[in-house]
Amino acid sequence: MPMNNDLANALNAQITHEFNASYIYLGMAAYFESLDLDGFAGWMRAQSAEEWDHGMRIFNHLAARDVPITLAALLKPKTGYGDPPAAIAAALAYEQGNTRAVNALYARSVECGDYQAKSLMDWFVNEQIEEEDTLRTLLSQLKIAGNDGAGLLILDRELGARQGASADGGDMGGDSAE
């Protein structure tokens, strides 16, 4: 079944959104590297790779359906933040925007009667629950740690251990389903 042009354009835009997220997380990894917080930096690198995989999931869906793929330029990511909570809050805000975009794509695929695209978006809808929950939890933990350097170092060590212990190197204990 041919894909609706508006839906195809929106899915192509989502590829860029996912790749931008990858680049944003890589910028955050650079920020955490500058603070010698290797656990945070490694976790952000893993998040970057996961976001790239998300973009490729849509890319592959379009390719399999013989829908033209268009790639746009990526935005320059920030590599500096006021403090670790500011970086994590920025990541959460980006994921919340991504959730809105995913929900709109889901609604559009249903509206168009494109059940193949709806099936693809089912996965993304569920993934966004995990993405937001993970970042909200990390932000809460950073707020609890406050200005306590020891608390920050404990979180850094925990993120490094989780990143090293998981099969894909990415999540904070959830299932990335990649």
Side-chain angles (χ1 to χ4, degrees):
M1 168 176 151
M3 185 178 284
N4 172 282
N5 283 336
D6 289 339
L7 179 58
N9 290 338
L11 285 167
N12 272 299
Q14 188 64 24
I15 292 171
T16 302
H17 193 76
E18 298 291 343
F19 289 168
N20 273 324
S22 176
Y23 213 34
I24 287 168
Y25 281 124
L26 193 59
M28 290 176 180
Y31 166 69
F32 285 114
E33 284 289 345
S34 76
L35 299 178
D36 291 325
L37 292 171
D38 296 339
F40 277 90
W43 190 81
M44 286 296 178
R45 278 193 198 92
Q47 287 299 110
S48 175
E50 185 177 303
E51 295 299 329
W52 192 266
D53 289 345
H54 295 172
M56 289 306 300
R57 185 179 284 254
I58 300 168
F59 182 103
N60 292 337
H61 178 87
L62 294 178
R65 294 186 61 192
D66 201 28
V67 174
I69 297 166
T70 58
L71 300 174
L74 300 181
L75 303 173
K76 181 180 178 181
K78 285 178 63 170
T79 57
Y81 294 87
D83 56 19
I88 300 304
L92 177 58
Y94 195 85
E95 288 297 347
Q96 289 168 333
N98 196 36
T99 297
R100 288 188 293 277
V102 163
N103 290 344
L105 277 167
Y106 183 92
R108 184 72 177 135
S109 65
V110 170
E111 178 184 303
C112 292
D114 191 321
Y115 299 106
Q116 295 88 352
K118 181 204 164 290
S119 178
L120 172 72
M121 297 317 300
D122 282 338
W123 184 89
F124 279 92
V125 167
N126 290 318
E127 176 69 6
Q128 284 309 117
I129 293 168
E130 177 191 327
E131 297 286 355
E132 286 191 37
D133 181 53
T134 298
L135 287 165
R136 264 194 309 274
T137 299
L138 183 55
L139 185 57
S140 292
Q141 291 171 346
L142 280 168
K143 287 179 180 177
I144 290 167
N147 292 329
D148 178 18
L152 182 61
L153 292 175
I154 289 168
L155 280 173
D156 186 60
R157 187 177 318 127
E158 185 177 325
L159 286 174
R162 286 177 176 164
Q163 184 254 331
S166 67
D168 67 352
D171 67 357
M172 282 185 53
D175 177 25
S176 75
E178 281 297 326

